[in-house]
């Protein structure tokens, strides 16, 4: 197996990744256009545009929405296919090691093999499908919508930009804490599997119960960190809306901007909230998948199938 996760992603098909990137670029390019159409519809309705003009804009909006949906459908199915190919490859890799290196397999290794084939391979392989296209798509949407907002009203755009500054600091810190717990969780699960398939040594129900309890505690710790971060992100977005309402309302009252611009900013912040959340999720998945891939890589290498002392310590009940 490639030493790094990035090498494994490229090994699964550089051509496929390039096509996913192209689809992602096309998707965010099409996705920015409805914002301008919405602004023109609102301004046209409030400034005496003809019904024909409004209907043409509405039909244009629907056509853009349909195009965006079709591109996203193709992109998601293509991602899923590439992810499943990677999952199949990882599972077959582990099975092939068993067939070609039978003397290296102890009951300990068999437990690890079971954990990888049944559980660990799936999230790692699934990440391959979104590894490159997802950040390009979501960052492209953020950049396009952000540039559009700055073009419409630079000062009002500051209310949107301020939403992301605290999050960009908090996300890496909290994700580092989550990664530590994910590594512990995987190692504890492997030790559970190892003892379940080990028929040569006496069972230790107390140790297994302690490991189950440690899994519970570790998962609860992950949930607390994950949902605390989600809470802070949602709070930041609500503060952004408040800033748009306050500053936008002032600009409309003083005649500096049109009401359609405020509507465009509200729609724009709504539009960037999903890609920003998706980008944060992608970053989380990247960091966690790097940990999982390294554990699978080490377990799938015949010379290193015995866990290190550090990992054994992680798996021991406390």
């Amino acid at each position: 197996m490639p030493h790094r996760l990035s090498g494994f992603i490229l090994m699964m098909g550089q051509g496929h990744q390039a096509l996913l990137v192209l689809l992602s670029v096309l998707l965010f390019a099409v996705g920015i256009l409805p914002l301008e159409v919405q602004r023109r519809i609102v301004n046209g309705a409030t400034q005496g545009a003809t019904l024909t003009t409004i209907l043409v804009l509405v039909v244009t909006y629907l056509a853009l929405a349909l195009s965006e949906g079709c591109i996203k459908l193709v992109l998601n199915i293509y991602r899923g296919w590439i992810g499943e190919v990677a999952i199949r490859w990882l599972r077959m890799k582990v099975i092939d090691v068993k067939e070609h290196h039978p003397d290296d397999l102890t009951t300990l290794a068999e437990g690890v093999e079971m954990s990888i084939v049944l559980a660990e391979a799936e999230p790692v392989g699934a990440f391959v499908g979104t590894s490159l296209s997802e950040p390009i798509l979501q960052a492209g949407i953020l950049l396009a919508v952000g540039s559009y907002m700055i073009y419409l009203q630079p000062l009002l755009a500051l209310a949107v930009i301020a939403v992301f500054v605290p999050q960009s600091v908090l996300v890496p810190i909290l994700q580092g804490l989550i990664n530590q717990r994910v590594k512990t969780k995987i190692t504890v699960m492997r030790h559970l599997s190892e003892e379940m398939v080990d028929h040569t040594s006496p069972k230790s129900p107390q140790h297994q119960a302690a490991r189950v309890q440690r899994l519970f505690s570790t998962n609860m710790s992950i949930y607390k960190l994950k949902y605390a971060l989600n809470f802070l992100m949602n709070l930041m977005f609500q503060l952004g809306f408040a800033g748009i309402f306050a500053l936008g309302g002032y600009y409309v009252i003083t005649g500096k901007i049109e009401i359609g611009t405020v509507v465009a900013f509200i729609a724009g912040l709504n539009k960037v909230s999903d890609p920003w959340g998706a980008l944060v999720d992608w970053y989380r998945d990247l960091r966690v998948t790097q940990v999982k891939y390294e554990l699978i890589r080490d377990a799938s290498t015949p010379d290193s199938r015995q866990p290190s002392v550090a990992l054994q310590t992680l798996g021991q009940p406390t």
Side-chain angles (χ1 to χ4, degrees), residues 229-240:
L229 180 57
N230 289 346
F231 167 77
L232 292 173
M233 289 174 60
N234 289 332
L235 178 61
M236 291 298 102
F237 274 110
Q238 295 307 315
L239 291 175

Side-chain angles (χ1 to χ4, degrees), residues 200-309:
T200 61
S201 61
K203 303 295 182 184
S204 178
Q206 293 80 10
H207 279 190
Q208 291 291 72
R211 289 184 179 119
V212 170
Q213 179 60 35
R214 189 172 186 187
L215 281 176
F216 172 82
S217 301
T218 303
N219 283 335
M220 289 305 303
S221 180
I222 292 173
Y223 289 146
K224 290 175 183 177
L225 290 169
K226 177 181 176 181
Y227 292 119
L229 180 57
N230 289 346
F231 167 77
L232 292 173
M233 289 174 60
N234 289 332
L235 178 61
M236 291 298 102
F237 274 110
Q238 295 307 315
L239 291 175
F241 282 117
I244 291 174
F245 291 141
L247 190 57
Y250 168 76
Y251 281 151
V252 171
I253 291 172
T254 56
K256 294 182 178 180
I257 61 174
E258 302 164 325
I259 186 64
T261 302
V262 178
V263 173
F265 266 85
I266 295 172
L269 185 54
N270 274 319
K271 195 170 183 67
V272 298
S273 64
D274 287 341
W276 175 253
L279 200 58
V280 170
D281 289 341
W282 175 86
Y283 175 76
R284 288 173 175 173
D285 290 342
L286 171 64
R287 295 292 303 278
V288 170
T289 305
Q290 285 173 336
V291 173
K292 292 179 178 179
Y293 178 78
E294 290 169 2
L295 292 173
I296 293 176
R297 177 201 64 202
D298 293 342
S300 301
T301 303
D303 293 337
S304 60
R305 290 178 68 82
Q306 293 293 337
S308 64
V309 174

Side-chain angles (χ1 to χ4, degrees), residues 87 90-91 111-125 186-187 189-190 193 291-293 295-296 299:
I87 294 169
L90 284 171
R91 286 171 170 161
V112 173
E113 178 192 67
M114 179 187 300
S115 178
I116 293 173
V117 171
L118 296 181
E120 296 177 35
E122 189 153 344
V124 175
I186 292 174
T187 308
M189 290 181 66
R190 286 184 177 184
S193 299
V291 173
K292 292 179 178 179
Y293 178 78
L295 292 173
I296 293 176

Side-chain angles (χ1 to χ4, degrees), residues 14 39 44 53 60 69 86 90 93 102-103 114 135 164 166 182 191 214 216 235 240 249 264-265 275 292:
Q14 299 182 40
R39 186 181 73 87
T53 301
T60 302
L90 284 171
K93 173 66 176 177
D103 296 335
M114 179 187 300
F164 303 104
V182 168
H191 279 269
R214 189 172 186 187
F216 172 82
L235 178 61
F265 266 85
K292 292 179 178 179

